[in-house]
């Protein structure tokens, strides 16, 4: 990785879990001369693993009721996606 910063003068490190490059922390990359670090697939990889796990559980058990701690609760989800704003917009279009 130091070859990249010294010889190629790259400033951006693209960190992809399970990719070809070693997975380093931002501090380790800064020590090597990188100025920016991106992790474009980290959250997507985690989401896909969680989704496939939930699907497997639904297939096997028919419900996630014994796995509620692995889920976001409805109130928190509503807050995250601003569900109240969606309800307001829906009401405007109903009229």
């Amino acid at each position: 990785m130091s070859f990249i910063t010294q010889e190629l003068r790259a400033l951006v490190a693209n960190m992809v879990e399970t990719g070809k490059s070693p997975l380093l922390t931002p501090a380790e990359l800064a020590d090597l001369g990188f100025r920016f670090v991106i992790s474009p697939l980290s959250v997507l990889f985690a989401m896909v693993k969680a989704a496939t796990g939930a699907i497997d559980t639904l297939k096997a058990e028919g419900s996630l009721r014994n796995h509620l701690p692995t889920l976001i609760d409805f109130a928190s989800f509503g807050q995250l996606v601003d569900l109240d704003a969606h309800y307001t917009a829906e009401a405007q279009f109903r009229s």
Side-chain angles (χ1 to χ4, degrees):
M1 296 285 291
S2 62
F3 168 81
I4 294 170
T5 57
Q6 292 171 2
E7 299 296 323
L8 302 179
R9 308 243 186 255
L11 299 176
V12 178
N14 182 12
M15 294 287 95
V16 177
E17 292 78 5
T18 68
K20 292 182 180 181
S21 300
L23 193 58
L24 303 176
T25 67
E28 292 168 328
L29 290 163
D31 289 344
L32 293 172
F34 288 95
R35 293 179 137 186
F36 303 99
V37 179
I38 59 172
S39 299
L41 297 174
S42 301
V43 174
L44 180 61
F45 283 0
M47 289 171 51
V48 168
K49 184 167 182 158
T52 55
I55 291 167
D56 291 344
T57 300
L58 284 169
K59 285 180 185 176
E61 300 176 26
S63 170
L64 293 175
R65 71 178 173 202
N66 295 324
H67 305 275
L68 295 180
T70 67
L71 306 175
I72 190 170
D73 63 85
F74 190 77
S76 297
F77 175 77
Q79 205 170 25
L80 182 67
V81 300
D82 198 6
L83 205 50
D84 287 338
H86 293 280
Y87 291 147
T88 301
E90 179 184 22
Q92 289 173 345
F93 288 105
R94 278 193 192 158
S95 304

